């Protein structure tokens, strides 16, 4: 039985309609001294309004430089259970499909070697196991790997790729998001387990532009399923939708490019002006379907506000087939990483580097041709600037 602490400040976080991490820690504390001391440690941090966690630097297991996030308390004498509180990331399956027996197996192992606390899933996409002592990392990893699991990414490395469940359950998917996620994971094992980048790099794969996983805001490289050609229209189903919804208000007026028309009976789409946001398809699934030539749009550069402000990713390849063996895709990623490695500063994400050296420089150095879809925002001034080689041409 773990030591009990008075936690009036943490208790406040259990109030209200939403689930509370405090409740879960208290449940774990019934059979874990580490979770019990975590309550007292966190309460003191709140009371003194200062963190008592030290960054642990790189703590790893044999052969892996990533996958474990080091963390130590600066008051280990008061709370010995959290003197070490390392986090272990375990690579999740594509689409986050688990069997109940697999989850039970992992939870049993974590009760044996760690605090019993988990995070399903972290922002990176891994299963996250919170709180282990240094001496327990190697035996935990040995048991996990013997059962077919692998560590995820951490540190200045490629983070664990993640994606939506794609074609396994979603009729909107234009690409096989699960297969692509798995292939990237297998292809870049060294880059995930042995940190060698200026900073972290995340892949996220969305089967369609609805982008349920918010890759456009959370991934250094977003792979978003799209199509070429005209949206397919079933006018009979359009008429059925017109009986139950205001098509003009909910579809036509909501189109970001104004490329749709509806006269009360027939829908028309100017596909040359469609930006394939898929709002209309998502709202009228039986009446509208993507074109038959499927592929993906590649975007680059999004991140959360850490060193500098938040960034949304922007288009670097408007359309790529994304079919096995993905050679064109991997060739481009290798060029991007080489450019980042040569020019990036320590802890500078790829999006920050593109902003610093300009998108024009990025396109030239990586060898991508400019395309109107790459325009992220309108020109801010009326002046044009020409390089000498442009004038010579």
């Amino acid at each position: 039985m773990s030591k009990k602490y008075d936690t009036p400040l943490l208790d406040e976080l259990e109030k209200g309609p939403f689930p509370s991490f405090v409740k879960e820690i208290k449940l774990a504390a019934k059979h874990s001294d580490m979770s019990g001391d975590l309550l007292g440690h966190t309460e003191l941090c709140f009371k003194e309004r200062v963190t008592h966690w030290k960054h642990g630097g790189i703590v790893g297991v044999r052969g892996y430089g990533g996958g474990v996030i080091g963390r130590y308390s600066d008051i280990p004498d008061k709370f010995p259970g959290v003197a070490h509180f390392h986090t272990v990331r375990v690579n999740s399956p594509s689409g986050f499909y688990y069997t109940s027996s697999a989850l039970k197996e992992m939870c049993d192992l974590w009760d044996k070697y760690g605090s019993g606390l988990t995070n399903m899933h972290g922002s990176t996409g891994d299963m996250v196991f919170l709180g282990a002592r240094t001496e327990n990392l190697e035996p935990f990893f040995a048991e996990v790997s013997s059962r077919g699991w692998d560590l995820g990414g951490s540190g200045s490395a490629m983070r664990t790729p993640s994606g939506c469940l794609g074609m396994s359950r979603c009729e909107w998917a234009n690409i096989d998001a699960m297969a692509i996620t798995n292939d990237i994971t297998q292809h870049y094992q060294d880059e995930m387990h042995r940190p060698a980048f200026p900073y972290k790099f995340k892949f996220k794969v969305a089967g369609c532009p609805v982008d349920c996983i918010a890759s456009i805001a959370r991934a250094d490289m977003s792979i978003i399923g799209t199509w070429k050609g005209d949206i397919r229209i079933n006018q009979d189903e359009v008429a059925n939708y017109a009986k139950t919804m205001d098509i003009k208000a909910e579809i036509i007026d909501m189109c970001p490019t104004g490329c749709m028309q509806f006269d009360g009976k027939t829908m028309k789409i100017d596909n040359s002006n469609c930006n394939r946001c898929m709002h209309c398809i998502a709202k009228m699934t039986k009446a509208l379907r993507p074109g038959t030539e499927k592929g993906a749009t590649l975007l680059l550069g999004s991140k959360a506000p850490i060193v500098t402000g938040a960034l949304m990713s922007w288009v670097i390849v408007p359309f790529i087939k994304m079919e096995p063996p993905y050679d064109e895709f991997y060739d481009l990623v290798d060029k991007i990483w080489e450019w980042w490695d040569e020019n990036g500063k320590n802890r500078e994400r790829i999006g920050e580097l593109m902003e610093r050296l300009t998108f024009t420089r990025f396109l030239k150095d990586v060898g991508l041709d400019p395309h109107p879809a790459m325009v992220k925002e309108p020109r801010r001034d009326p002046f044009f600037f020409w390089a000498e080689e442009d004038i010579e041409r």
Side-chain angles (χ1 to χ4, degrees), residues 185 295 352:
T185 303
E352 295 167 332

Side-chain angles (χ1 to χ4, degrees), residues 8-77:
L9 296 176
L10 289 181
D11 294 346
E12 289 294 315
L13 298 178
E14 292 188 271
K15 300 176 182 178
F18 302 108
S20 170
F21 73 93
V22 177
K23 177 183 177 181
E24 300 306 319
I25 298 175
K26 287 181 177 179
L27 288 173
K30 292 180 180 180
H31 56 82
S32 168
D33 290 341
M34 183 175 283
S35 294
D37 275 6
L38 178 63
L39 286 169
H41 190 278
T42 307
E43 178 73 17
L44 185 62
C45 290
F46 278 32
K47 181 179 179 180
E48 297 183 352
R49 298 185 180 184
V50 63
T51 181
H52 285 290
W53 294 113
K54 301 186 295 183
H55 191 280
I58 297 297
V59 182
V61 296
R62 189 173 292 112
Y64 285 66
V68 180
I69 303 168
R71 187 166 289 113
Y72 300 92
S73 171
D74 67 2
I75 44 175
D77 294 338

Side-chain angles (χ1 to χ4, degrees), residues 181-192:
T181 300
N182 183 69
D183 203 275
I184 294 173
T185 303
Q186 302 300 328
H187 186 88
Y188 285 128
Q189 283 291 294
D190 279 357
E191 287 74 13
M192 186 163 65

Side-chain angles (χ1 to χ4, degrees), residues 53-106:
W53 294 113
K54 301 186 295 183
H55 191 280
I58 297 297
V59 182
V61 296
R62 189 173 292 112
Y64 285 66
V68 180
I69 303 168
R71 187 166 289 113
Y72 300 92
S73 171
D74 67 2
I75 44 175
D77 294 338
K78 287 186 178 180
F79 303 99
V82 293
H84 307 181
F85 201 78
H86 308 313
T87 291
V88 182
R89 287 175 170 160
V90 175
N91 201 328
S92 53
S94 297
F96 301 145
Y97 280 106
Y98 299 94
T99 62
S100 57
S101 60
L103 289 173
K104 185 177 185 305
E105 175 182 73
M106 293 301 293

Side-chain angles (χ1 to χ4, degrees), residues 198 335-346 348 350 353-354 356-357 361-362 365-366:
K335 289 178 182 177
I336 291 171
W337 282 351
E338 183 178 355
W339 182 74
W340 184 34
D341 187 53
E342 290 179 356
N343 298 284
K345 298 178 181 179
N346 186 39
E348 183 174 47
I350 186 72
L353 176 60
M354 286 194 294
R356 179 166 63 85
L357 295 187
R361 166 81 178 273
F362 165 76
D365 289 354
V366 175

